[in-house]
Every structure is written in C-alpha cells, then in structure tokens.
C-alpha cells in the first residue's frame, strides 16, 4: 500500500485528495481508493497563507511524506459501530501457509516448474499450482475442488482454475522422478540429509468406491477396508525426510517395488552407496541378494523372532551370552537388576540394549537368476527391558479388549492379525467343566504365554560385518520414523480416501502429498524436532489474520513460543498488533524468492 497526492479539476475549482494504491487480497489485482479529502485550492491557499498553486502542492507533498513516515510507526483507524462490513467479503485469511511456501521456493520449485513448462504445451503456471496444492494440503487437506476455496482464504496465494488443477496432475505424474530428484538435490543445500542408510516401507490408500479398474484393485488393505486400493512405497533417509516414492496397483505384491525404486534412485538421484533397511515382508531373498551383490550396497532386514526357525529362536531366547556395545563382558538377561555394570560404571538397565550375533547361510532358488543361490547372513538379536515393558503393556491392553469382546461373542470372528484383540481369542466346543457344551470362545492362554516369552527381543539379518553391529543397532532405533511418515500422510495430510480416478491423476495427487510431507519434515528439522506433528500442523493452520479495515489486519491467533520460533526462522512475524498490506505483501514477495531463510543463512555461516 502507498499514498500519493491526487487532484481533480473543473472550470471553477481544483480539489485535492490523498489516494491509496493497494492490492486486493482476494483477486490480487491493483486498485486505488481515497484515503482523505484535503479541500479545494482557494481554501488551501487561505489555510497555508500562500498565493500560488505551486506553493500549495509543495506543502501538501511535504505533509504526505511526513504522513508516510508516521504511518510506518502508528496506524490510525476510524471504525463505526453503525457501519456493516461489505457483503460476501473475506474478513480473515491464513498466513501460516507462507512458511511451507518459502520452503518450496528454497527447494527450487520455480526452476523445476519452468524446465517442465518449456517442454510442454500448457498456458497455466505449473509453479503456482504446485505451490497452492502443496500448501493447501498442509493448511486444510480436502479434495482438489474444495482446495480452491481454501486457497482463496490463504493471504496472497495464487488461485488456479480447477480445470488447470486437474490437467496438472497428469503432468506431475509424467515428470514425477524428475521433480523428486531435483527436490532431493536442492534439499541437501538447505537442510541435513543423511543418505548412508535408507529406510523402505509400503502402505496403501483406499478409494470410496466398489468398482476396481486396471490400477485401483482389491488387495490386502492396511485398514481392513472392503474398497479398491493402490499400493504405495516410500524411501526415507536417516534424517526422517522422504527421498522418493512409488505407486502401483493394489493387487500387486509389495516385494518387487523396493528394488524397482532402488534402480530409479541409482539412475536419477545419484544415490548408489547406501544400506537398505526394511522389514522381512518387503526385503525378501531376491531383494537381499540384489543389495548384497550390488557395488557399495548392503541391507538390514527386520526378522520377527516368532518366525525364526526353532533352533534360532531357542538361541535368541537363551538368557546367557549377551553383550553390550563398548564392553567385552557377557550378561545373563534372566538375572538383570535395575542397574548393570559396564566397564566399571553402574548404568540403568532400561537404557541398555543387549545383543548377541552369529552368521548363518540361506540356500534358495532365486527368481531373478533362476539358479540356486547361497546368501551368507549376519543374524543379530537384541534385547531391551524398556522394549519388554512396552510390549507387555500393549499386550495387556489387547487382552482387556479381548475380555470385553468375550461378553458379546456374537461380534467375534477369527483373525490372524496380531494387532487385533481377537488374535488372543480361541473357539471352544466344551464348557469350562469339560462337559460338552455349545460352541463358545475363551482367551487363548497358551498363545498369550508363548508371546510373553518373546517380549523385549528383536532380531535382524544383514550382510554387514561384525565391526558394524553398532550401526545395525542404531539404524533399527530409527525404523519407527518411516511409520511416522505414513501416519502423517494419512492423518494430518489426509492422503486418503483418494477422490480422483485416473491413474495419472492418482499419481499426481500422491506426488502433491509426498511434497507436502517433505516440506513438513524440513520445517520439523528447522525446529529441532522439539514439537509434535500435531503442534506444528495446528500452528500453521491456525495462524490467521483478520481484516480490521483496509489496509490493516490484526493477528487472529494465540502468540506462542512456537509462533515466535517460526518467525525467527523465516523472518515473517505475524504477531504484531497491526499488519499492513505493505508488510504482508513484502512477506509474500520474500516467500516467492529462492533466497535462504534467516535460520539457514546463520547455519551456513557457522
């Protein structure tokens, strides 16, 4: 917003006004309005005791300059209790979207979009559409059509046409890995990326329809829903930030996807030296063989103790022969107290991870080579009293839920899902006194007892050597983060249900959600992981500003330590008593630029 001197002239008089130039926050178009009326020439000559028009205009210009300086420090408003606000006008806007908006700029979105636009024939701004969709997914995740209304309430946000949005999804699908590769390379300049160990896992997303097609297929839903699904695989680095993803039909086996995406990483992302960490269902024999024989490759695969061979399971649960990192002593985990002695120092037992290891050989026919292959693997078992207590707590809660189900046996059905309380219920055809009775259900005490014996134990297989056991143990402590990525996508970003139908539109939608997750994880890293996902997301969503009277806005959110941290990092302080359009538009212009945020500049200097 700027002010200037303006005049109108008629036959008998010249009248002077102060005019304001401003940008409409909804249409983003420049416009003009009258700030105040100063009077006609004759009255002003009398007021200032001068005799010429030139002298009057010189005085008025000096007063306007003084008013500009004064307006920067103090804002004066005239509000009437009898005046109504304009009909159908937007009176409040979200400004928290500027933080993810800035991260996208720092990630080089403009250059990426321009490169794609030069090779394609479309008239809309791909950059604006990606920005708007990603930020709207963080601020208020709804369908693409409803996102248009969300964008209208985001201060300074470009609002694309809905048909351009749908058209862009196919373009995003076509250039998926070009976009993800460029984002990954640029992200290494603005945040910490640790890519020596990559984590891989799969989930799936459902559609609210019963009709399947070539891409949306019936498969094993993670949420046990009777709907068609698409499968989704994700690679994440040790910093907790996603690198690349893959989407494939819902009826396909997950295991092939990991090596397929690995090959894309090696080809397009310049990632060739990394350890892959995944669970046994994904990292099967052929995937392990692929990573074992690849130059500078390795793998770490979680191995459920319950599914080990009997001899190996007995070796894992044997209480003797356990070690700790940095010590040569052997421990008996069957006789642990509240503390243990490690190298002469007394340490709390629940802070220690005990381990034992041995080498094994697996012989199996490979689907890739068609030959019998031998894979030499390092089996590493770990035990933690903290993990033991956690598993016990989870099981007891499950048993209590199972006991409640027993009171209403009509709702009980068999399941092999270990997360379901029905897993600990078995069917019986005898009464408690041993005499024949009608079919009923009881707690499966034998299964509960067997599972309790395995509490606290964890196992992995890897091709890493003995001296790298510490790496293996540390890596497995971070596996939960990829599950956290999926939880954020499903809960905070509401990736599912998916409302688009065509395969390219589905791929484009999932890419938008992937980029939103990357942006959030970078902001989370800037905040030193000191806040929960819910705290950060709610703060971004609630940072709203209310229009008092053009051109003045007021913060309509609670100022907290977190809002101040975001302001310090990005330089957008939204908690001033009054915010002018001039200041807000300056924030928007800065958010569009690729220059580093204040926080990143300081980190680079250090």
């Amino acid at each position: 917003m700027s002010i200037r001197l303006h005049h109108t002239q008629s036959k008998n008089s010249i009248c002077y006004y102060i005019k304001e130039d401003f940008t409409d926050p909804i249409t983003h178009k420049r416009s003009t309005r009258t700030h105040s009326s100063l009077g006609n020439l004759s009255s002003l000559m009398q007021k200032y005791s001068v005799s010429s028009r030139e002298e009057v205009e010189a005085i008025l210009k000096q007063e306007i300059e003084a008013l500009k300086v004064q307006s920067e420090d103090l804002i004066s408003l005239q509000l009437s209790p009898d005046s109504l606000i304009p009909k159908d006008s937007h009176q409040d806007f979200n400004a928290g979207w500027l933080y993810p908006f800035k991260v996208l700029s720092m990630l080089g979105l403009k250059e990426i979009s321009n490169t794609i636009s030069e090779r394609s024939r479309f008239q809309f701004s791909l950059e604006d559409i990606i920005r708007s969709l990603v930020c709207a997914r963080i601020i208020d995740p709804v369908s693409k059509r409803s996102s248009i209304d969300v964008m209208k309430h985001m201060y300074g946000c470009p609002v694309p046409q809905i048909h351009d949005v749908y058209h862009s999804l196919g373009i995003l699908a076509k250039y998926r890995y070009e976009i993800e590769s460029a984002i990954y390379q640029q992200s290494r300049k603005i945040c910490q990326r640790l890519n020596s160990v990559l984590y891989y896992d799969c989930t799936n997303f459902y559609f609210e329809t019963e009709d399947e097609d070539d891409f949306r297929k019936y498969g094993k839903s993670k949420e046990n829903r009777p709907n068609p699904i698409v499968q989704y695989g994700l690679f994440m680095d040790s910093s907790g930030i996603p690198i690349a993803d893959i989407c494939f039909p819902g009826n396909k086996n997950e295991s092939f996807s990991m090596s397929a995406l690995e090959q894309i990483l090696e080809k397009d992302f310049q990632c060739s030296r990394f350890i892959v960490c995944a669970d046994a269902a994904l990292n099967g024999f052929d995937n392990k063989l692929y990573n074992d024989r690849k130059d500078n490759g390795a793998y770490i695969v979680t191995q459920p103790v319950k599914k080990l061979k009997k001899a190996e399971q007995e070796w894992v649960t044997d209480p003797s022969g356990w070690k700790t990192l940095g010590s040569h002593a052997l421990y008996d985990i069957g006789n642990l107290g509240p503390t243990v002695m490690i190298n002469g120092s007394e340490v709390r037992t629940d802070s220690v991870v005990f381990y034992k290891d041995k080498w094994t050989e697996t012989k199996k026919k490979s689907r890739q080579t068609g030959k019998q292959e031998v894979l030499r693997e390092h089996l590493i078992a770990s035990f933690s009293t903290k993990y033991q207590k956690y598993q016990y707590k989870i099981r007891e809660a499950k048993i209590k839920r199972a006991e409640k189900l027993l009171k209403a046996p009509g709702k009980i059905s068999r399941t092999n899902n270990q997360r379901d309380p029905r897993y600990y219920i078995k069917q019986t055809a005898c009464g408690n006194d041993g005499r024949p009775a009608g079919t009923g259900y009881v707690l499966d005490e034998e299964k509960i007892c067997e599972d309790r014996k395995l509490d606290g134990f964890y196992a992995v297989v890897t091709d890493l050597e003995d001296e790298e056991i510490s790496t293996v143990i540390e890596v497995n402590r971070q596996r939960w983060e990829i599950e956290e990525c999926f939880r954020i996508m499903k809960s905070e970003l509401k990736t599912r249900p998916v409302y688009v139908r065509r395969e390219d539109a589905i791929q484009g939608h999932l890419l938008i959600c992937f980029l939103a997750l990357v942006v959030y994880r970078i902001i989370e890293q800037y905040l030193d992981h000191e806040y929960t996902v819910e705290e950060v997301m709610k703060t971004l969503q609630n940072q709203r500003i209310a229009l008092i009277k053009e051109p003045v806005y007021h913060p309509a959110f609670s100022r907290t330590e977190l809002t101040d941290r975001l302001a310090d990092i990005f330089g957008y302080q939204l908690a001033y008593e009054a915010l002018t359009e001039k200041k807000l538009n300056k924030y928007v212009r800065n958010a569009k630029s690729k220059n580093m945020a204040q926080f990143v500049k300081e980190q680079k200097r250090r």
Side-chain angles (χ1 to χ4, degrees), residues 271-285:
C271 290
S272 57
R273 300 182 179 184
F274 54 83
I275 301 167
V276 174
C277 183
D279 62 33
L282 288 165
N283 213 345
F285 184 79

Side-chain angles (χ1 to χ4, degrees), residues 14-174:
I14 300 175
C15 295
Y16 289 93
Y17 307 87
I18 296 177
K19 288 284 187 178
E20 291 179 336
D21 298 316
F22 72 100
T23 302
D24 190 295
I26 300 172
T27 64
H28 309 296
K29 293 180 179 179
R30 296 289 292 172
S31 188
T32 303
R33 61 193 166 212
T34 300
H35 177 278
S36 57
S37 176
L38 302 175
N40 59 33
L41 179 60
S42 58
S43 64
L44 291 171
M45 289 173 64
Q46 186 177 357
K47 176 181 177 180
Y48 296 121
S49 302
V50 294
S51 57
S52 68
R53 174 180 174 179
E54 289 76 12
E55 290 175 301
V56 168
E57 291 183 354
I59 293 171
L60 293 178
K61 287 177 181 178
Q62 287 179 357
E63 289 185 350
I64 288 174
E65 287 302 317
L67 184 62
K68 286 181 181 179
V69 174
Q70 182 183 0
S71 66
E72 290 178 1
D73 299 324
L74 187 64
I75 295 173
S76 178
L77 291 173
Q78 290 185 343
L79 301 174
S80 170
D82 300 319
S83 297
L84 296 173
I85 62 173
K87 268 188 179 179
D88 301 322
S89 63
H90 293 302
Q91 295 296 308
D92 72 293
F93 300 86
N94 177 279
W97 81 285
L98 291 173
Y99 305 120
F101 186 26
K102 180 61 178 179
V103 174
L104 285 170
S105 298
M106 293 164 64
L107 287 170
L109 181 62
K110 181 176 182 178
E111 291 77 7
I112 297 168
S113 303
N114 288 345
T115 301
I116 294 172
S117 299
E118 289 170 3
R119 300 204 300 266
S120 307
R121 294 183 178 180
F122 49 80
Q123 300 302 314
F124 54 81
S125 169
L126 184 63
E127 177 193 357
D128 285 348
I129 288 178
I130 296 175
R131 283 185 192 278
S132 301
L133 287 177
V134 170
C135 294
R137 180 60 45 181
I138 292 172
I139 298 305
D140 189 2
V142 289
S143 68
K144 301 294 175 291
R145 186 171 294 278
S146 298
S147 291
I148 299 298
D149 290 330
V150 174
M151 296 168 195
K152 291 176 181 176
H153 286 81
M154 289 158 51
Y155 185 92
C157 178
V159 182
Q161 297 293 318
I162 186 62
H163 58 268
D164 290 336
V165 169
Y166 286 129
H167 186 189
S168 70
L169 295 179
I171 296 167
L172 294 177
K174 181 179 179 180

Side-chain angles (χ1 to χ4, degrees), residues 237-259:
D237 69 8
S238 299
S239 303
I241 304 175
I243 294 182
D245 60 357
I246 187 171
C247 187
F248 51 99
N251 63 345
K252 274 201 171 185
N253 190 294
E254 298 173 338
S255 59
F256 89 95
S257 62
M258 190 177 80
S259 57

Side-chain angles (χ1 to χ4, degrees), residues 399-415:
I399 291 171
K400 286 182 180 179
R401 283 155 53 206
E403 288 172 341
K404 287 183 180 180
L405 286 174
L406 288 174
K407 296 176 182 178
K411 298 180 180 179
I412 298 175
S413 59
R414 294 288 297 161
T415 180

